Amino acid sequence: MSTDLRVAVVGAGMMGADHIKRIHTTIAGASVSAVVEPDPARRAAALELAPGASGFGDLDAALASGLVDAVLIATPGQFHEEALLRVLAAGLPILCEKPLTQDPESSWRILEAEIAGGRQLIQVGFMRRFDREYEELRRVVEAGTAGELLMLHAVHRNASVPDAYVQNMLITDSVVHEFDVVPWLAGGTITSVEVRYPKRNPLTPERLKEPILVLIELDNGVLVDVEMNVSIQFGYQVATEAVFARGVARIGQPSGLQLWSENGFGVGEHADFTTRFREAYDRQVQAWVDAAKAGTIAGPSAWDGYKVAVACKAGVEALGAPGRVALDLPPVPAFYAGTAAATV
Ligand code: ISE
């Protein structure tokens, strides 16, 4: 008898299809048993990636099928709340792609539903926490190897973005990752967010005004600047320079083949996040599968997702108004306080 965790993947767009492939080819101890996707053509294409899986047009039918032990939610963010509530009601472990939900109010409803069930079932897909260089940098911060951390300079550059990407998504779809990873890395809580506008990139689509510079303040005094740039054309870069009392550390530098040829010198660059963070996604999904089998989670919790939703609300406000926008965070509910998973 197979001991595989039978996973339903909900949403078969870019990330959903990527996770289906990953679970089928790379992850140990799990298989894709169901693909939930309302679009028939997408569903059929996804099922080809996971032979043996059953296709469903709707989540309830998949949950009622008896084929599902755990659920990976990879739909666009606006559908997360409804899917999360249904899977929580079914009592199954969940890996939910970022964001948890679109706003603090709906994220709070998710916390309430999870607390009512009495068990942490939700892990949020902030994959940067599973990137080896981020992990190493966090260890340097914690160990004090180069002294106290003073500030972080972060760059987050996309070659381009799809047509559906609108101005607020600079925050809710992109800087959302920094809102999760920066406190995890620097060991503090975000207290304010400010957005500044450098000169606009003439190559950015007409509907966008970017790049932007985001300033994130933490309660431990660490200040973070993030260059958020989604029209850089040449490739995908996520890099950080950490400035310590007596040292500097860098992660996310281009690596791999260096080529000297007649045109000079070159090194490869990623085209998008699916390759830049491939190993991080693999490690994230494997950790989730192993934890789900053991009845727990192994990454950012729903409370982490809630805190990010609060930061995104402040960030969106800061996009439209000069100056710092302060964050208003309620105390952590006792259910999440002190759980190892909340601080993984
Ligand atoms: C995308 O949705 C992601 O999550 C990527 O990690 C991020 O770099 C990109 O800007 C987003 O659009």
Side-chain angles (χ1 to χ4, degrees), residues 98 127 156 158 165 173-174 177 228 236 273:
K98 59 85 198 168
M127 76 298 183
H156 186 167
N158 293 212
Y165 191 103
D173 199 53
S174 297
H177 286 287
M228 187 67 238
Y236 182 80
F273 44 90

Side-chain angles (χ1 to χ4, degrees), residues 63-138:
L63 293 174
S65 70
L67 293 172
V68 179
D69 301 322
V71 177
L72 193 162
I73 299 175
T75 60
Q78 68 266 33
F79 304 114
H80 286 185
E81 181 183 7
E82 201 190 321
L84 283 163
L85 291 173
R86 286 179 186 194
V87 186
L88 283 175
L92 300 180
I94 303 164
L95 177 61
C96 180
E97 266 299 331
K98 59 85 198 168
L100 179 63
T101 67
Q102 303 272 83
D103 54 65
E105 294 72 26
S106 53
S107 285
W108 190 261
R109 290 194 286 275
I110 298 301
L111 296 187
E112 288 178 332
E114 189 175 48
I115 292 170
R119 185 154 83 88
Q120 277 194 291
L121 288 171
I122 301 173
Q123 180 173 328
V124 186
F126 288 117
M127 76 298 183
R128 290 192 190 179
R129 297 195 192 193
F130 293 87
D131 177 87
R132 288 187 197 275
E133 288 190 45
Y134 271 105
E135 283 180 349
E136 274 177 70
L137 181 55
R138 186 171 188 245

Side-chain angles (χ1 to χ4, degrees), residues 14-15 97-98 125 127-128 156-158 160-162 165 169-170 172-178 228-230 236-238 272-274 277 281:
M14 182 185 183
M15 274 322 294
E97 266 299 331
K98 59 85 198 168
M127 76 298 183
R128 290 192 190 179
H156 186 167
R157 302 181 178 128
N158 293 212
S160 60
V161 280
Y165 191 103
M169 290 170 76
L170 288 162
T172 60
D173 199 53
S174 297
V175 180
V176 64
H177 286 287
E178 277 79 15
M228 187 67 238
N229 193 329
V230 297
Y236 182 80
Q237 290 183 326
V238 170
D272 65 40
F273 44 90
T274 58
F277 286 110
Y281 284 121

Side-chain angles (χ1 to χ4, degrees), residues 167-172 175-176 179 192-198 209-217 223-229 311-327:
Q167 187 72 7
N168 284 359
M169 290 170 76
L170 288 162
I171 299 292
T172 60
V175 180
V176 64
F179 286 154
S192 79
V193 180
E194 178 176 0
V195 174
R196 301 290 304 269
Y197 288 88
K209 189 175 171 207
E210 58 91 30
I212 56 173
L213 190 67
V214 182
L215 294 176
I216 302 173
E217 272 182 322
L223 184 63
V224 183
D225 59 88
V226 184
E227 173 203 319
M228 187 67 238
N229 193 329
C312 282
K313 187 176 177 191
V316 168
E317 192 181 331
L319 273 179
R324 281 143 65 176
V325 178
L327 260 68

